[in-house]
Amino acid sequence: MTDEIRAGMGANVWKVVTAPGATVTQGDTLVILESMKMEVPVQAETGGTVARLAVHEGDTVQEGDLIAVIDQG
């Protein structure tokens, strides 16, 4: 089973905190977005292994854009 983590708003990717292959638990920060001078952490909704990171630092995301995929297997 996989869990897709998507952007909740339009923002810039300020910092990537994790990497593909990393093990995460529910609530771990994956990336930090910056919007209107506010830092907004994007957290894992489930535990598992980061199968894919779809963003890089400096990228711009829109609401609904894919940020990461977590493999719960």
Side-chain angles (χ1 to χ4, degrees):
M1 237 173 128
T2 60
D3 185 27
E4 292 185 343
I5 308 298
R6 297 189 174 270
M9 67 175 81
N12 295 315
V13 179
W14 180 70
K15 187 172 186 179
V16 175
V17 181
T18 192
T23 300
V24 295
T25 58
Q26 183 178 6
D28 283 355
T29 299
L30 305 173
V31 301
I32 301 173
L33 302 179
E34 184 273 324
S35 179
M36 297 173 42
K37 305 284 183 197
M38 292 177 28
E39 294 177 9
V40 181
V42 177
Q43 300 174 326
E45 296 172 3
T46 58
T49 303
V50 178
R52 177 177 174 216
L53 263 178
V55 297
H56 299 89
E57 290 181 10
D59 286 353
T60 300
V61 294
Q62 300 300 320
E63 183 175 352
D65 284 357
L66 181 66
I67 291 181
V69 176
I70 297 176
D71 182 2
Q72 300 172 26

